[in-house]
Amino acid sequence: MILVVDVGNTNITYGVYEKDKMITTFRMMSKMLRTSDEYGISICELLRANNVERENITGCIIASVVPNVMHSLTGAIVRYLKVTPLIVGAGIKTGIKIVTENPKEIGPDRIVDAVAAYEKYGGPVLVLDFGTATTYDLITEDGCFTAGITAPGIRISAKALWEDTAKLPEVEIKKPASILAQETISSMQAGLVYGQIGQTEYIINQVKKESGLKNLKVVATGGLGRIIADETDAIGVYDSSLTLDGLRIIYEKNRK
């Protein structure tokens, strides 16, 4: 079995794979700094709670956008799982070519999503990840990462609303019954969700227009992605396991 680890700005998401089959997933917050022992004990307990023996983990791969957790996290995996993790970064085999102006600026999470979307659905493909930021990445038919768009995520927008205004409350992010809101909470929900739908559809259409790719596939992932994907025909596929699958695919490419 292999352990795949996606370190995001909000959560660390773990997945356990046996060959190409996902066995289980679990999460912990990434904003809380931990020692290597705290990470190690937590990982072992979560594995055990999901009926996975730590001795069965024979490999690990990590993609991280939070550098300050990496020393403790990698140390924990080496000490408690007895494996040396593969880190997604420069020099790693991915199967795609980054042809943007500065390839080193592309985050490892975006590379992993691009690999998964290209391997699972083929190109050309536009990959949307509704995470802390909402990202849109274009991969061509021959596997070139050619462009990326970055926008504030839904939670960032929501947080700005209730933290930077005196009278607006914290609300659940969900689609209200109608866009014609008549009170504060549904008014905020309508602005957040319908605003994101509008942004998503416009960016997808503009990418298709400027790239000239009429047969462009559109694949979405990320925590709040399903809410948006269910409300627009512009998104062809919602794949909740895209990032973890991408990590598994990259691990297999490098193991060979």
Side-chain angles (χ1 to χ4, degrees):
M1 294 182 181
I2 67 165
L3 179 69
V4 303
V5 187
D6 173 30
V7 183
N9 289 296
T10 304
N11 293 311
I12 303 175
T13 305
Y14 300 84
V16 178
Y17 284 84
E18 188 166 13
K19 295 183 179 179
D20 60 352
K21 180 182 178 183
M22 182 187 288
I23 304 300
T24 189
T25 65
F26 48 88
R27 293 186 178 193
M28 62 176 67
M29 291 182 64
S30 59
K31 291 185 177 180
M32 182 186 299
L33 294 179
R34 297 174 174 88
T35 66
S36 59
D37 290 323
E38 289 171 327
Y39 274 121
I41 291 168
S42 296
I43 291 169
C44 290
E45 289 178 347
L46 288 164
L47 286 170
R48 190 179 305 113
N50 285 275
N51 300 312
V52 177
E53 296 297 327
R54 63 177 175 177
E55 293 82 6
N56 292 333
I57 302 296
T58 58
C60 177
I61 182 170
I62 304 173
S64 174
V65 296
V66 189
N68 63 355
V69 310
M70 290 300 290
H71 179 74
S72 295
L73 180 60
T74 55
I77 290 168
V78 170
R79 180 177 178 184
Y80 285 85
L81 300 184
K82 311 300 182 188
V83 296
T84 301
L86 181 67
I87 310 299
V88 178
I92 198 169
K93 297 177 184 177
T94 63
I96 63 169
K97 183 178 180 181
I98 301 174
V99 295
T100 56
E101 287 189 10
N102 191 344
K104 292 182 179 179
E105 290 182 348
I106 306 299
D109 55 334
R110 300 174 80 154
I111 294 171
V112 170
D113 283 347
V115 169
Y118 184 71
E119 291 283 339
K120 294 178 72 174
Y121 303 101
V125 60
L126 184 67
V127 191
L128 284 58
D129 192 338
F130 293 90
T132 303
T134 300
T135 58
Y136 307 75
D137 295 320
L138 179 63
I139 299 90
T140 60
E141 188 171 2
D142 57 352
C144 292
F145 187 119
T146 61
I149 301 103
T150 307
I154 308 174
R155 285 195 179 91
I156 288 179
S157 299
K159 189 177 179 182
L161 271 180
W162 58 66
E163 287 190 356
D164 294 342
T165 53
K167 292 187 176 182
L168 294 181
E170 185 171 343
V171 301
E172 179 185 1
I173 300 174
K174 68 175 186 178
K175 180 190 171 190
S178 170
I179 197 171
L180 302 176
Q182 296 184 328
E183 41 74 36
T184 300
I185 291 177
S186 60
S187 169
M188 294 171 66
Q189 291 171 333
L192 289 166
V193 176
Y194 285 104
Q196 182 67 64
I197 293 168
Q199 177 199 98
T200 300
E201 292 180 338
Y202 183 86
I203 289 178
I204 291 171
N205 289 334
Q206 195 66 18
V207 168
K208 287 181 176 179
K209 179 181 176 181
E210 292 195 23
S211 69
L213 297 171
K214 305 296 183 183
N215 61 335
L216 183 66
K217 304 176 187 73
V218 180
V219 178
T221 192
L224 293 171
R226 186 174 293 280
I227 297 175
I228 307 305
D230 286 345
E231 299 301 326
T232 175
D233 293 333
I235 295 173
V237 178
Y238 175 76
D239 187 338
S240 61
S241 64
L242 191 73
T243 305
L244 299 183
D245 285 345
L247 284 165
R248 177 192 61 79
I249 291 166
I250 293 173
Y251 181 87
E252 293 295 337
K253 286 181 181 293
N254 285 269
R255 185 169 70 170
K256 292 176 183 177

